[in-house]
Amino acid sequence: MAAPFPSPTTKWHTETYQSISPIRPELSAKGRTVVVTGGGTGIGAETARQFAEAGASRIALLGRREQPLLDTKSSIQHKFPGVEVFVAATDVTNKDQVDAAFAEFACGGKIDVLVSGAAIIGPQDPVGNVDNDKFLEAITQNLKGSLSVAQAFLCYASSDAVAIDINSSAAHVNFGPGLSAYSVAKLAVYRLWDSLAFANPDLSVFHIQPGIVDTAMNKEAGGVKATGIEDHGK
């Protein structure tokens, strides 16, 4: 079938692949320390659970709201009691809060994996009539958050550390005029992480497009209800 909206790939798949098992030996995260921003709900929370199942020894969950972080921590430790889960209510746009959270979690050690997932949608208006201040504020918030996290990560990254930027194909494909602020922000964030990778060749930086996952942020943009298509965080 033809893609129902602009597709970043030449082939459109209508059947989902089975999720990749985190217990596959070659994907082991045994003994690794992991930081997940936006770790209280949605994709971030599910990613943290998958790392726990893959054998990570310590996982930090950062996000603005403490209760969802505590809920995710509880769900991880209920199933994987041997995993240490650190929680810090953190606004990633606040550099002091980010630096403090990373320092407390690292506790003199190193961080092996970072999953950068915190983001906002911003105003959903086309360029022609969007409020200038709100448009620029959304870009600034997304970029400032990623920059603060990237700088803190560099302070504690292990020699072969991995950073995973949860990005969006909206950075490269025009899905609709109402996603202008979000698209610009995501492309800026994409280039930020690529710049970090260029300056630090020993680190591995990946960008992922998770699809249309029914998270609170995705619902705000119409998401599954608007497209009739749903991917899954797992």
Side-chain angles (χ1 to χ4, degrees):
M1 64 173 282
F5 44 71
S7 174
T9 59
T10 55
K11 190 169 184 179
W12 180 263
H13 294 271
T14 56
E15 295 181 5
T16 2
Y17 295 110
Q18 289 186 339
S19 60
I20 300 173
S21 172
I23 62 173
R24 281 168 49 169
E26 71 273 26
L27 300 178
S28 173
K30 185 176 181 180
R32 299 288 186 177
T33 55
V34 181
V35 175
V36 182
T37 71
T41 59
I43 295 168
E46 186 58 38
T47 301
R49 294 186 190 100
Q50 297 292 306
F51 269 109
E53 190 169 357
S57 61
R58 303 178 66 236
I59 299 174
L61 304 174
L62 310 186
R64 285 176 296 177
R65 296 175 296 142
E66 185 177 46
Q67 191 55 54
L69 299 173
L70 293 173
D71 292 343
T72 301
K73 174 180 178 178
S74 177
S75 72
I76 291 173
Q77 293 190 319
H78 176 74
K79 191 172 181 180
F80 307 102
V83 179
E84 178 188 339
V85 181
F86 168 87
V87 163
T90 308
D91 179 351
V92 295
T93 66
N94 185 317
K95 182 170 170 52
D96 290 340
Q97 290 184 17
V98 173
D99 288 345
F102 270 76
E104 186 177 352
F105 175 66
C107 197
K110 294 295 183 180
I111 293 169
D112 299 306
V113 181
L114 166 70
V115 181
S116 180
I120 63 169
I121 289 287
Q124 296 183 58
D125 301 293
V127 170
N129 58 7
V130 70
D131 180 283
N132 284 29
D133 292 336
K134 291 180 179 178
F135 182 90
L136 293 173
E137 182 182 4
I139 295 169
T140 299
Q141 293 290 305
N142 279 293
L143 193 53
K144 187 177 181 181
S146 293
L147 179 59
S148 296
V149 169
Q151 290 176 331
F153 171 63
L154 285 175
C155 291
Y156 304 101
S158 62
S159 59
D160 59 347
V162 174
I164 301 166
D165 164 35
I166 300 180
N167 207 280
S168 171
S169 57
H172 313 285
V173 177
N174 291 316
F175 286 102
L179 287 176
S180 58
Y182 182 70
S183 297
V184 172
K186 279 301 188 180
L187 184 55
V189 168
Y190 181 96
R191 293 300 302 138
L192 169 69
W193 284 107
D194 268 14
S195 296
L196 181 146
F198 180 74
N200 300 274
D202 291 337
L203 304 181
S204 297
V205 176
F206 299 94
H207 308 278
I208 66 168
Q209 149 64 4
I212 303 173
V213 183
D214 200 26
T215 63
M217 191 175 79
N218 201 271
K219 287 175 181 175
E220 188 181 342
V224 175
K225 187 175 180 180
T227 63
I229 295 170
E230 182 177 1
D231 298 296
H232 298 276
K234 187 171 182 180

